[in-house]
Amino acid sequence: MVQRESDWNELAQEYADRGFPNADWIYGYFPALELIEDVRGKKMLDYGCGPGKFTRLLAERGAEVIGVDPNEKMLAIARSQDCRNIQYHHIVNN
């Protein structure tokens, strides 16, 4: 099923509010952090960053991060959080 932009606009805040523990953290974030190990001083790209949960986690661990997403509402939520060492950019999803 293809998600429409309007679907993500409606779900953006609900998705951003989901905290630990959920499938994002258990099946995605923790295994990814184990694979990439030490990120201090590295430049990283979070493609499809959504509300910036993983982007902020990388920045908190010392990375310089660029988060990109096709949904402006998700990016607005991401930008409303602590953005030290993070740049957020809108991308066009073709």
Side-chain angles (χ1 to χ4, degrees), residues 2-92:
V2 175
Q3 291 288 324
R4 295 184 324 264
E5 182 78 13
S6 61
D7 293 339
W8 282 113
N9 284 333
E10 294 171 16
L11 295 172
Q13 191 62 53
E14 179 183 334
Y15 180 74
D17 290 341
R18 281 195 279 157
F20 179 79
N22 65 34
D24 292 343
W25 287 96
I26 296 167
Y27 300 115
Y29 300 166
F30 290 140
L33 287 172
E34 287 179 17
L35 287 172
I36 58 178
E37 298 176 351
D38 186 10
V39 298
R40 287 176 290 184
K42 293 182 180 175
K43 293 184 179 187
M44 312 220 38
L45 172 67
D46 186 358
Y47 187 88
C49 67
K53 291 186 239 179
F54 192 65
T55 313
R56 286 188 302 279
L57 185 60
L58 290 169
E60 288 169 5
R61 291 178 180 229
E64 187 177 326
V65 190
I66 295 174
V68 298
D69 201 274
N71 186 279
E72 286 284 3
K73 186 159 185 175
M74 289 281 197
L75 288 171
I77 293 168
R79 288 180 182 122
S80 73
Q81 307 295 313
D82 182 1
C83 294
R84 283 177 284 181
N85 296 326
I86 302 172
Q87 296 176 38
Y88 289 108
H89 298 280
H90 179 251
I91 56 171
V92 177

